[in-house]
């Protein structure tokens, strides 16, 4: 039995954890549009995360069109089940942030390229909505930044239309989100860098919308190289403080 905190909810995990488990729950009910989801309290207890994290995860799923809400009635599975990647059980589960960035540099420019070739108008609209949500987040709210940034990049992976690559993306993204690296990622995040990343994101969306695969891949690579350099700088700064 999990220990409860004063408001009766269970101790909070991450919004990513809630989102991942909700995706799995919805996937179990593919082909059942309109099926009600359990209450936020029940989901909180079932998944071992706080109700705030449940609400944040549901916000992402609602933006993606996976669920819909009706005031006073509850939350319901949307008309379309989320894309299900192939299960890749043989992928290594031990890694580090720099191996993750190397993998992202190999995978995500290709995903952006395919997205520019295959994305529908609805998928482009979703990317723009997710980007707008990223822009509204307080720069101090690391949980929200991680949640919506990951949702944005995953939407590109889905728009690429390749389940194997989507599965690879999910595996790498799960390693990237490991909580043991949260502090380093937070240190690597500044307002100037966030503004730069926002510019990258918008340019990627523009190229996908214009069906410009080479340009979309190029800007995605530029974006990931910036992230990689920010992490290298954060590690170097930490090592300097320890000396």
């Amino acid at each position: 039995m999990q220990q409860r905190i004063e408001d009766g909810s269970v101790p909070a995990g991450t919004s990513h954890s809630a989102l991942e488990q909700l995706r799995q729950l919805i996937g179990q009910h593919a082909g059942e549009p309109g099926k009600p989801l359990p209450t936020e309290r029940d989901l909180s207890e079932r998944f071992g995360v706080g109700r705030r994290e449940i609400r944040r995860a549901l916000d992402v799923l609602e933006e993606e069109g996976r669920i819909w809400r009706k005031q006073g009635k509850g939350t319901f599975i949307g008309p379309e089940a989320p894309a299900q990647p192939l299960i890749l059980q043989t992928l290594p589960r031990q890694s580090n942030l720099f191996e993750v960035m190397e993998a992202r540099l190999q995978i995500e420019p290709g995903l952006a390229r395919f997205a520019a070739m295959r994305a529908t108008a609805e998928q482009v609209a979703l990317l723009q909505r997710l980007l707008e949500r990223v822009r509204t987040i307080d720069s101090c709210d690391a949980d929200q930044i991680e949640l919506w940034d990951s949702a944005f990049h995953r939407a590109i992976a889905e728009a690429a239309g390749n389940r194997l690559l989507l599965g690879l993306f999910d595996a790498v993204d799960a390693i990237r989100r490991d909580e043991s690296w949260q502090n380093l990622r937070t240190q690597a995040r500044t307002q100037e860098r966030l503004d730069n990343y926002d510019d990258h994101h918008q340019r990627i969306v523009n190229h996908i919308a214009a069906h410009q695969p080479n340009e979309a891949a190029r800007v995605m690579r530029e974006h990931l190289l910036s992230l990689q350099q920010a992490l290298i700088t954060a590690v170097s700064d930490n090592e300097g403080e320890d000396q």
Side-chain angles (χ1 to χ4, degrees):
M1 181 69 69
Q2 290 176 309
Q3 182 181 1
R4 294 176 180 273
I5 54 181
E6 291 183 0
D7 65 358
S9 63
V10 297
T14 66
S15 300
H16 268 301
S17 172
L19 180 59
E20 196 169 285
Q21 294 181 86
L22 280 165
R23 287 194 194 280
Q24 292 174 4
L25 177 61
I26 292 172
Q28 292 169 8
H29 298 284
E32 298 181 65
K35 181 179 179 63
L37 289 178
T39 66
E40 289 180 3
R41 179 182 294 275
D42 290 341
L43 289 169
S44 175
E45 293 179 349
R46 178 173 179 173
F47 296 153
V49 299
R51 294 179 69 178
R52 182 189 72 163
E53 284 67 37
I54 292 293
R55 286 191 291 271
R56 286 181 167 185
L58 290 172
D59 284 344
V60 173
L61 292 170
E62 184 174 32
E63 195 68 70
E64 292 177 346
R66 312 302 195 192
I67 63 168
W68 53 277
R69 292 153 157 168
K70 187 170 184 180
Q71 190 171 4
K73 297 293 185 181
T75 303
F76 304 86
I77 294 176
E80 295 183 4
Q84 295 297 306
L86 298 178
I87 297 174
L88 302 172
Q89 298 176 337
T90 60
L91 285 178
R93 304 307 302 169
Q94 294 185 348
S95 186
N96 59 62
L97 274 180
F98 297 105
E99 289 183 353
V100 167
M101 290 309 306
E102 288 178 357
R104 292 186 71 184
L105 278 162
Q106 295 301 313
I107 296 169
E108 292 194 54
L111 288 169
R113 181 187 303 276
F114 285 131
M117 295 167 61
R118 299 168 178 168
T120 65
E122 291 77 12
Q123 288 171 323
V124 172
L126 171 61
L127 287 171
Q128 189 61 52
R129 292 199 306 273
L130 292 173
L131 182 53
E132 293 299 331
R133 289 298 297 264
V134 172
R135 288 169 174 162
T136 67
I137 299 169
D138 187 322
S139 61
C140 296
D141 194 337
D143 179 73
Q144 285 271 60
I145 291 173
E146 295 280 353
L147 182 70
W148 289 94
D149 179 75
S150 177
F152 174 81
H153 281 269
R154 191 179 195 277
I156 293 173
E158 285 202 31
N162 184 306
R163 287 193 306 152
L164 180 57
L165 287 174
L166 177 60
L168 288 169
F169 171 88
D170 279 343
V172 172
D173 197 51
I175 299 171
R176 177 186 70 86
R177 298 195 313 263
D178 189 286
E179 292 183 25
S180 64
W181 298 325
Q182 178 65 54
N183 186 53
L184 180 61
R185 293 200 303 272
T186 299
Q187 290 180 41
R189 191 179 295 125
T190 66
Q191 188 58 57
E192 181 180 1
R193 285 171 178 158
L194 287 173
D195 292 341
N196 191 37
Y197 301 157
D198 178 70
D199 176 65
H200 292 159
H201 286 165
Q202 186 62 68
R203 288 159 59 199
I204 291 167
V205 173
N206 291 346
H207 289 313
I208 290 174
H211 302 295
Q212 297 171 330
N214 291 337
E215 291 83 351
R218 176 179 55 78
V219 179
M220 178 62 83
R221 180 172 177 79
E222 178 185 343
H223 174 57
L224 295 173
L225 286 171
S226 295
L227 291 171
Q228 185 181 55
Q229 185 57 53
L231 289 170
I232 292 171
T233 300
V235 169
S236 178
D237 289 345
N238 282 344
E239 291 176 347
E241 291 175 0
D242 293 339
Q243 292 177 354

